Amino acid sequence: MTAANLTDLTVLIVEDEPLIAMSLEDVLVDHGVICVGPAGSVATALEMIEDGGFEIALLDVNLRGERVDAVADRLAADGIPFIFTTGHGAEGLPDAHRARPVIGKPFRDLDITEALARHRPCRQ
């Protein structure tokens, strides 16, 4: 995939590990992505969803021991696509969202950019 595939895409980052969040932001900004967040807790993520301004989200499944189910539910209800990032495997995903795309941790930059290009919503 090329950088053009992600240009002007706006992504909500839901990640509680600062180094991973910063790394994601660096990679995405280098590909022309506009980043929102990071949200390091479910409460913060829900507030950011309420504020809007993004097209797709990257969701860490576990935020400091707190499951991200409510965030996934809210995004799904709002029709906003999202991709899980997790080191816990498929068994760690919320039951209602096991069919959603998943990127296993540790991931490569290419894993993230290709997944976002593949699942990027179509603009009207």
Side-chain angles (χ1 to χ4, degrees):
M1 299 291 167
T2 66
N5 295 84
L6 299 179
T7 301
D8 296 328
L9 179 67
T10 305
V11 177
L12 171 64
I13 298 173
V14 180
E15 172 62 58
D16 64 334
E17 293 294 333
L19 291 178
I20 294 173
M22 287 188 309
S23 176
L24 280 170
E25 284 181 284
D26 288 345
V27 168
L28 296 178
V29 167
D30 285 349
H31 282 84
V33 173
I34 300 160
C35 295
V36 176
S41 70
V42 168
T44 301
L46 292 172
E47 288 174 13
M48 291 179 145
I49 293 168
E50 185 69 28
D51 292 342
F54 61 92
E55 301 166 81
I56 190 169
L58 292 171
L59 299 184
D60 184 4
V61 173
N62 185 317
L63 302 173
R64 300 195 196 306
E66 189 177 17
R67 289 184 49 91
V68 74
D69 300 37
V71 176
D73 292 344
R74 176 64 190 275
L75 289 168
D78 289 353
I80 300 169
F82 56 93
I83 302 167
F84 288 114
T85 61
T86 182
H88 298 284
E91 62 279 354
L93 299 179
D95 290 336
H97 302 287
R98 291 197 181 223
R100 299 283 179 170
V102 179
I103 300 170
K105 289 181 181 178
F107 47 75
R108 300 171 302 155
D109 297 349
L110 185 62
D111 298 331
I112 295 294
T113 57
E114 284 185 344
L116 286 171
R118 191 170 38 258
H119 298 288
R120 161 183 207 150
C122 296
R123 291 192 173 148
Q124 300 292 330

